Coordinates of all heavy atoms in Angstrom, one line a residue:
M25 N 37.5 111.5 78.8 CA 38.7 111.7 77.8 C 39.7 110.6 78.0 O 40.1 110.2 79.1 CB 39.4 113.0 78.1 CG 38.6 114.3 77.9 SD 38.4 114.7 76.2 CE 40.0 115.6 75.9
A26 N 40.0 110.0 76.9 CA 40.9 108.9 76.9 C 41.6 108.8 75.5 O 41.0 109.2 74.5 CB 40.3 107.6 77.2
F27 N 42.8 108.2 75.5 CA 43.5 108.0 74.2 C 42.7 106.9 73.4 O 42.2 106.0 74.0 CB 44.9 107.5 74.5 CG 45.7 108.6 75.1 CD1 46.2 108.4 76.4 CD2 46.1 109.7 74.5 CE1 47.0 109.3 77.0 CE2 46.9 110.7 75.1 CZ 47.3 110.5 76.4
T28 N 42.7 107.1 72.1 CA 42.1 106.1 71.2 C 43.1 104.9 71.1 O 44.3 105.0 71.4 CB 41.8 106.6 69.8 OG1 43.1 107.0 69.3 CG2 40.9 107.8 69.9
D29 N 42.6 103.7 70.7 CA 43.4 102.6 70.5 C 44.5 102.9 69.5 O 45.7 102.4 69.6 CB 42.6 101.4 70.0 CG 41.9 100.7 71.2 OD1 42.2 101.1 72.4 OD2 41.1 99.8 70.9
T30 N 44.2 103.7 68.5 CA 45.2 104.0 67.5 C 46.4 104.8 68.1 O 47.5 104.4 67.8 CB 44.6 104.9 66.4 OG1 43.4 104.3 65.9 CG2 45.5 105.1 65.2
I31 N 46.1 105.8 68.9 CA 47.1 106.5 69.6 C 47.9 105.6 70.5 O 49.2 105.7 70.5 CB 46.5 107.7 70.4 CG1 45.8 108.7 69.5 CG2 47.5 108.4 71.3 CD1 46.7 109.6 68.7
K32 N 47.2 104.8 71.3 CA 47.9 103.9 72.2 C 48.9 103.0 71.5 O 50.0 102.7 71.9 CB 46.9 103.1 73.0 CG 46.3 104.0 74.1 CD 45.6 103.1 75.1 CE 44.1 103.2 74.9 NZ 43.3 102.5 75.9
K33 N 48.4 102.5 70.3 CA 49.2 101.5 69.5 C 50.5 102.2 69.0 O 51.6 101.7 69.1 CB 48.4 101.0 68.3 CG 48.1 99.5 68.5 CD 47.3 99.0 67.3 CE 46.5 97.8 67.8 NZ 45.1 97.7 67.4
E34 N 50.3 103.5 68.5 CA 51.4 104.2 68.0 C 52.4 104.5 69.1 O 53.6 104.4 69.0 CB 51.0 105.5 67.4 CG 50.4 105.3 66.0 CD 50.0 106.7 65.3 OE1 50.7 107.7 65.6 OE2 49.0 106.7 64.6
A35 N 51.9 104.9 70.3 CA 52.7 105.3 71.4 C 53.5 104.0 71.9 O 54.6 104.1 72.3 CB 51.9 105.9 72.6
F36 N 52.8 102.9 71.9 CA 53.3 101.6 72.4 C 54.5 101.2 71.5 O 55.5 100.8 72.0 CB 52.3 100.5 72.5 CG 52.6 99.4 73.3 CD1 52.5 99.5 74.7 CD2 53.0 98.2 72.8 CE1 52.8 98.4 75.5 CE2 53.3 97.1 73.6 CZ 53.2 97.2 75.0
S37 N 54.3 101.3 70.2 CA 55.4 101.0 69.3 C 56.5 102.0 69.4 O 57.7 101.6 69.3 CB 54.9 100.7 67.9 OG 54.8 101.9 67.2
R38 N 56.2 103.3 69.6 CA 57.2 104.3 69.8 C 58.1 104.0 71.0 O 59.3 104.2 71.0 CB 56.5 105.6 69.9 CG 57.5 106.8 70.1 CD 56.8 108.1 70.5 NE 56.2 108.0 71.8 CZ 55.3 108.8 72.4 NH1 55.0 109.9 71.7 NH2 54.8 108.6 73.6
A39 N 57.4 103.4 72.0 CA 58.2 103.1 73.3 C 58.9 101.8 73.2 O 59.5 101.3 74.1 CB 57.2 103.1 74.4
K40 N 58.7 101.1 72.0 CA 59.4 99.8 71.8 C 58.9 98.8 72.8 O 59.8 98.0 73.4 CB 60.9 99.9 71.7 CG 61.3 100.9 70.6 CD 62.8 100.8 70.4 CE 63.3 101.4 69.1 NZ 62.9 102.9 69.0
D41 N 57.7 98.8 73.2 CA 57.1 97.8 74.2 C 57.7 98.0 75.5 O 57.7 97.0 76.3 CB 57.2 96.4 73.7 CG 56.6 96.1 72.3 OD1 56.2 97.1 71.7 OD2 56.4 95.0 72.0
K42 N 58.2 99.1 75.9 CA 58.8 99.3 77.2 C 58.2 100.5 77.9 O 57.8 101.5 77.3 CB 60.3 99.5 77.0 CG 61.0 98.2 76.6 CD 62.6 98.4 76.7 CE 63.3 97.1 76.4 NZ 63.3 96.7 75.0
C43 N 58.3 100.5 79.2 CA 57.9 101.6 80.0 C 58.8 102.8 79.7 O 60.0 102.6 79.6 CB 58.0 101.3 81.5 SG 57.8 102.7 82.6
E44 N 58.2 104.0 79.4 CA 59.1 105.1 79.0 C 59.8 105.8 80.2 O 60.5 106.7 80.0 CB 58.2 106.1 78.2 CG 57.7 105.5 76.9 CD 57.1 106.5 75.9 OE1 55.9 106.9 76.1 OE2 57.8 107.0 75.0
K45 N 59.5 105.3 81.3 CA 60.2 105.8 82.5 C 61.3 104.9 83.0 O 62.5 105.3 83.1 CB 59.2 106.1 83.6 CG 59.7 107.1 84.6 CD 58.5 107.6 85.4 CE 58.8 109.0 86.0 NZ 57.7 109.6 86.6
C46 N 61.0 103.6 83.3 CA 61.9 102.7 83.9 C 62.5 101.6 82.9 O 63.4 100.9 83.2 CB 61.3 102.0 85.1 SG 60.1 100.8 84.8
G47 N 61.9 101.6 81.7 CA 62.4 100.6 80.7 C 61.9 99.2 80.9 O 62.4 98.3 80.2
K48 N 61.0 99.0 81.8 CA 60.5 97.6 82.0 C 59.8 97.1 80.7 O 59.0 97.9 80.1 CB 59.5 97.6 83.2 CG 59.1 96.2 83.6 CD 57.8 96.3 84.5 CE 58.2 96.8 85.9 NZ 56.9 96.7 86.8
Q49 N 59.9 95.8 80.4 CA 59.3 95.2 79.3 C 57.8 95.1 79.6 O 57.4 94.7 80.6 CB 59.8 93.8 79.1 CG 59.3 93.1 77.8 CD 59.8 93.7 76.5 OE1 61.0 94.0 76.4 NE2 58.9 93.9 75.6
L50 N 57.0 95.5 78.6 CA 55.5 95.5 78.8 C 54.8 94.6 77.8 O 55.4 94.2 76.8 CB 55.0 96.9 78.6 CG 55.6 98.0 79.5 CD1 55.1 99.4 79.1 CD2 55.4 97.8 80.9
V51 N 53.6 94.2 78.2 CA 52.8 93.3 77.3 C 51.5 94.1 76.9 O 50.8 94.5 77.7 CB 52.4 92.0 78.1 CG1 51.6 91.1 77.3 CG2 53.7 91.3 78.6
W52 N 51.4 94.2 75.6 CA 50.3 95.0 75.0 C 48.9 94.7 75.6 O 48.2 95.6 75.8 CB 50.3 94.7 73.5 CG 49.1 95.3 72.7 CD1 48.1 94.6 72.2 CD2 48.8 96.7 72.5 NE1 47.2 95.5 71.6 CE2 47.6 96.7 71.8 CE3 49.4 97.9 72.9 CZ2 46.9 97.9 71.5 CZ3 48.8 99.1 72.6 CH2 47.6 99.1 71.9
T53 N 48.6 93.4 75.8 CA 47.3 93.1 76.3 C 47.0 93.2 77.8 O 45.9 93.1 78.2 CB 46.9 91.6 75.9 OG1 48.0 90.8 76.3 CG2 46.8 91.5 74.4
N54 N 48.1 93.5 78.5 CA 47.9 93.5 80.0 C 47.9 94.9 80.6 O 48.7 95.8 80.3 CB 49.1 92.8 80.6 CG 49.0 91.3 80.3 OD1 48.0 90.8 79.8 ND2 50.1 90.6 80.7
H55 N 46.8 95.2 81.4 CA 46.6 96.5 82.0 C 46.3 96.5 83.4 O 46.2 97.6 84.1 CB 45.5 97.2 81.2 CG 45.7 97.3 79.8 ND1 46.6 98.2 79.2 CD2 45.2 96.6 78.7 CE1 46.6 98.1 77.9 NE2 45.8 97.1 77.6
N56 N 46.2 95.3 84.0 CA 45.7 95.3 85.4 C 46.7 94.8 86.4 O 47.7 94.1 86.1 CB 44.5 94.3 85.5 CG 43.3 94.8 84.6 OD1 43.0 96.0 84.6 ND2 42.8 93.9 83.8
E57 N 46.5 95.3 87.6 CA 47.4 94.9 88.7 C 47.6 93.4 88.8 O 46.7 92.6 88.6 CB 46.6 95.3 90.0 CG 47.4 95.2 91.3 CD 48.3 96.4 91.6 OE1 47.7 97.5 91.7 OE2 49.5 96.3 91.6
G58 N 48.9 93.0 88.9 CA 49.2 91.6 89.0 C 49.5 90.9 87.7 O 50.0 89.8 87.7
E59 N 49.2 91.6 86.6 CA 49.5 91.0 85.3 C 50.9 91.3 84.9 O 51.4 92.4 85.2 CB 48.5 91.5 84.2 CG 47.1 91.0 84.4 CD 46.2 91.5 83.2 OE1 46.3 92.7 82.9 OE2 45.4 90.7 82.8
R60 N 51.6 90.4 84.2 CA 52.9 90.6 83.8 C 53.0 91.7 82.7 O 52.2 91.7 81.8 CB 53.5 89.3 83.2 CG 54.9 89.3 82.9 CD 55.4 87.9 82.4 NE 54.5 87.4 81.3 CZ 54.7 87.6 80.0 NH1 55.8 88.3 79.6 NH2 53.9 87.1 79.1
G61 N 53.9 92.6 83.0 CA 54.1 93.7 82.0 C 52.9 94.6 81.8 O 52.7 95.2 80.8
A62 N 52.1 94.7 82.9 CA 50.9 95.6 82.8 C 51.3 97.1 82.6 O 52.3 97.5 83.2 CB 50.1 95.5 84.1
W63 N 50.6 97.8 81.8 CA 50.9 99.2 81.5 C 49.7 100.0 81.3 O 48.6 99.5 81.2 CB 51.8 99.2 80.3 CG 51.0 98.8 79.1 CD1 50.8 97.5 78.7 CD2 50.3 99.6 78.1 NE1 50.0 97.4 77.5 CE2 49.7 98.7 77.2 CE3 50.1 101.0 77.9 CZ2 48.9 99.2 76.1 CZ3 49.4 101.4 76.9 CH2 48.8 100.5 75.9
Q64 N 49.8 101.3 81.3 CA 48.7 102.2 81.0 C 49.3 103.4 80.3 O 50.4 103.8 80.4 CB 48.1 102.7 82.3 CG 47.2 101.6 83.0 CD 46.8 101.8 84.4 OE1 47.2 102.8 85.0 NE2 45.8 101.0 84.8
A65 N 48.4 104.0 79.5 CA 48.7 105.3 78.8 C 48.5 106.5 79.7 O 47.5 106.6 80.3 CB 47.8 105.4 77.5
H66 N 49.6 107.2 79.8 CA 49.5 108.4 80.8 C 49.5 109.7 80.0 O 50.2 109.8 79.0 CB 50.8 108.3 81.6 CG 51.1 109.5 82.5 ND1 50.2 109.9 83.5 CD2 52.1 110.4 82.5 CE1 50.7 111.0 84.0 NE2 51.8 111.3 83.4
H67 N 48.7 110.6 80.5 CA 48.7 112.0 79.9 C 49.9 112.8 80.5 O 49.9 113.0 81.7 CB 47.4 112.7 80.2 CG 46.2 112.2 79.4 ND1 45.5 111.1 79.8 CD2 45.6 112.7 78.3 CE1 44.5 110.9 79.0 NE2 44.5 111.8 78.0
K68 N 50.8 113.1 79.7 CA 52.0 113.9 80.2 C 51.4 115.2 80.8 O 51.8 115.6 81.9 CB 52.9 114.3 79.0 CG 53.8 113.1 78.6 CD 54.8 113.6 77.5 CE 55.3 112.5 76.7 NZ 56.1 112.9 75.5
T69 N 50.6 115.9 80.1 CA 49.9 117.0 80.6 C 48.5 116.5 81.0 O 47.8 116.0 80.1 CB 49.8 118.2 79.7 OG1 51.1 118.6 79.3 CG2 49.0 119.4 80.3
S70 N 48.1 116.6 82.2 CA 46.8 116.0 82.6 C 45.6 116.6 81.9 O 45.7 117.8 81.5 CB 46.6 116.0 84.1 OG 46.4 117.4 84.5
V71 N 44.6 115.9 81.7 CA 43.4 116.4 81.0 C 42.8 117.6 81.8 O 42.4 118.6 81.2 CB 42.3 115.3 80.9 CG1 41.0 115.8 80.4 CG2 42.8 114.1 80.1
S72 N 42.9 117.5 83.1 CA 42.4 118.7 83.9 C 43.2 119.9 83.7 O 42.7 121.0 83.9 CB 42.3 118.3 85.4 OG 43.5 117.9 85.8
A73 N 44.4 119.8 83.3 CA 45.3 120.9 83.0 C 45.3 121.3 81.5 O 46.1 122.1 81.1 CB 46.7 120.6 83.5
G74 N 44.3 120.7 80.8 CA 44.2 121.1 79.4 C 44.9 120.2 78.4 O 45.0 120.4 77.2
G75 N 45.5 119.1 78.9 CA 46.2 118.1 78.1 C 45.2 117.4 77.1 O 44.1 117.1 77.5
K76 N 45.7 117.2 75.9 CA 44.8 116.6 74.9 C 45.2 115.1 74.7 O 46.2 114.6 75.1 CB 45.0 117.3 73.6 CG 44.7 118.8 73.6 CD 43.2 119.0 73.9 CE 42.8 120.5 73.9 NZ 41.6 120.8 74.6
D77 N 44.3 114.4 74.0 CA 44.5 113.0 73.7 C 45.3 112.8 72.4 O 44.9 112.1 71.5 CB 43.1 112.3 73.6 CG 42.4 112.3 74.9 OD1 43.0 112.3 75.9 OD2 41.1 112.3 74.8
Y78 N 46.4 113.5 72.3 CA 47.3 113.4 71.2 C 48.5 112.5 71.5 O 48.8 112.3 72.6 CB 47.9 114.8 70.8 CG 46.9 115.8 70.4 CD1 47.2 117.2 70.7 CD2 45.7 115.5 69.9 CE1 46.3 118.2 70.3 CE2 44.7 116.5 69.5 CZ 45.0 117.8 69.8 OH 44.1 118.8 69.4
L79 N 49.1 112.0 70.4 CA 50.2 111.1 70.6 C 51.3 111.8 71.3 O 52.0 111.2 72.2 CB 50.7 110.6 69.2 CG 51.9 109.7 69.2 CD1 51.6 108.4 69.9 CD2 52.4 109.4 67.7
S80 N 51.5 113.1 71.1 CA 52.6 113.8 71.7 C 52.4 114.0 73.2 O 53.3 114.3 73.9 CB 52.7 115.2 71.1 OG 51.5 115.9 71.1
N81 N 51.1 113.8 73.7 CA 50.8 113.9 75.1 C 50.7 112.6 75.8 O 50.3 112.5 76.9 CB 49.6 114.8 75.3 CG 49.4 115.2 76.7 OD1 50.3 115.6 77.4 ND2 48.1 115.2 77.2
C82 N 51.0 111.5 75.0 CA 50.8 110.2 75.5 C 52.1 109.5 75.9 O 53.1 109.6 75.2 CB 50.2 109.3 74.4 SG 49.8 107.6 74.9
M83 N 52.2 109.0 77.1 CA 53.4 108.4 77.6 C 53.0 107.0 78.1 O 52.0 106.8 78.8 CB 53.9 109.2 78.8 CG 55.3 108.8 79.2 SD 55.9 110.0 80.4 CE 57.5 109.5 80.6
I84 N 53.8 106.0 77.6 CA 53.5 104.6 78.0 C 54.3 104.3 79.3 O 55.5 104.4 79.4 CB 54.0 103.6 76.9 CG1 53.3 103.9 75.6 CG2 53.8 102.2 77.4 CD1 51.8 103.8 75.6
L85 N 53.5 104.0 80.4 CA 54.1 103.7 81.7 C 53.6 102.4 82.2 O 52.5 102.0 82.1 CB 53.7 104.8 82.7 CG 54.2 106.2 82.4 CD1 53.6 107.1 83.5 CD2 55.7 106.3 82.4
C86 N 54.6 101.7 82.9 CA 54.2 100.4 83.6 C 53.3 100.9 84.8 O 53.3 102.1 85.1 CB 55.4 99.7 84.1 SG 56.3 100.4 85.4
L87 N 52.6 100.0 85.3 CA 51.6 100.3 86.4 C 52.3 101.0 87.5 O 51.8 101.9 88.1 CB 50.9 99.0 86.8 CG 49.4 99.1 87.0 CD1 48.7 99.7 85.9 CD2 48.8 97.7 87.3
D88 N 53.5 100.5 87.9 CA 54.2 101.0 89.1 C 54.6 102.5 88.8 O 54.4 103.3 89.7 CB 55.5 100.2 89.3 CG 55.2 98.9 89.9 OD1 54.1 98.7 90.4 OD2 56.1 98.0 89.7
C89 N 55.1 102.8 87.6 CA 55.4 104.2 87.3 C 54.2 105.1 87.2 O 54.2 106.2 87.7 CB 56.2 104.3 86.0 SG 57.9 103.6 86.2
H90 N 53.1 104.5 86.7 CA 51.9 105.3 86.5 C 51.3 105.7 87.9 O 50.9 106.8 88.1 CB 50.9 104.5 85.7 CG 49.8 105.4 85.2 ND1 48.5 104.9 84.9 CD2 49.8 106.7 84.8 CE1 47.8 105.9 84.4 NE2 48.5 107.0 84.4
K91 N 51.4 104.7 88.8 CA 50.9 105.0 90.2 C 51.7 106.1 90.9 O 51.1 106.8 91.7 CB 51.0 103.7 91.0 CG 49.9 102.8 90.8 CD 50.1 101.6 91.7 CE 49.0 100.5 91.4 NZ 49.4 99.3 92.1
K92 N 52.9 106.3 90.5 CA 53.7 107.3 91.1 C 53.5 108.7 90.5 O 54.0 109.7 91.0 CB 55.2 107.0 90.9 CG 55.7 105.9 91.8 CD 57.1 105.5 91.6 CE 57.4 104.1 92.1 NZ 58.5 103.5 91.4
T93 N 52.7 108.8 89.4 CA 52.5 110.1 88.8 C 51.5 110.8 89.7 O 50.6 110.2 90.3 CB 52.0 110.0 87.4 OG1 50.7 109.3 87.4 CG2 53.0 109.3 86.5
R94 N 51.5 112.1 89.7 CA 50.7 113.0 90.5 C 49.2 112.8 90.1 O 48.3 113.0 91.0 CB 51.2 114.4 90.3 CG 50.9 115.3 91.5 CD 51.8 116.6 91.4 NE 52.0 117.0 90.0 CZ 51.1 117.8 89.4 NH1 50.0 118.3 90.1 NH2 51.3 118.2 88.2
T95 N 49.0 112.6 88.8 CA 47.6 112.6 88.3 C 47.0 111.2 88.3 O 45.9 111.1 87.7 CB 47.6 113.3 86.9 OG1 48.5 112.6 86.1 CG2 48.0 114.7 87.0
Y96 N 47.7 110.2 88.8 CA 47.1 108.9 88.7 C 45.7 108.8 89.3 O 45.5 109.2 90.4 CB 48.0 107.9 89.4 CG 47.5 106.5 89.4 CD1 47.6 105.7 88.2 CD2 46.9 105.9 90.5 CE1 47.1 104.4 88.1 CE2 46.4 104.6 90.4 CZ 46.5 103.9 89.2 OH 46.0 102.6 89.2
G97 N 44.8 108.2 88.5 CA 43.4 108.0 88.9 C 42.5 109.2 88.8 O 41.3 109.1 89.0
S98 N 43.1 110.3 88.3 CA 42.3 111.6 88.3 C 41.7 111.8 86.9 O 41.1 112.8 86.6 CB 43.1 112.8 88.7 OG 44.1 113.1 87.8
H99 N 42.0 110.9 85.9 CA 41.5 111.1 84.6 C 40.9 109.8 84.0 O 40.6 108.9 84.6 CB 42.6 111.6 83.7 CG 43.8 110.7 83.6 ND1 44.8 110.8 84.4 CD2 44.1 109.7 82.7 CE1 45.7 109.9 84.1 NE2 45.3 109.2 83.1
Ligands
ZN29 ZN1 58.0 101.9 84.7

């Protein structure tokens, strides 16, 4: 289970290219450790808890904030 590119694009523009937790400026093409503005799409409600791949369940987080979520790496 993962968000589609369409959902991610909509969420990213909704977040105005910023982390929705700390406000850090993000870069659309970067997703990996060490890259400037790296980010990932986070499930607000985890997939294992029944969360769906909907825009309303998608949160744009920088890598640092994503790592701090309880469900990081489990989906
Ligand atoms: Zn952040």
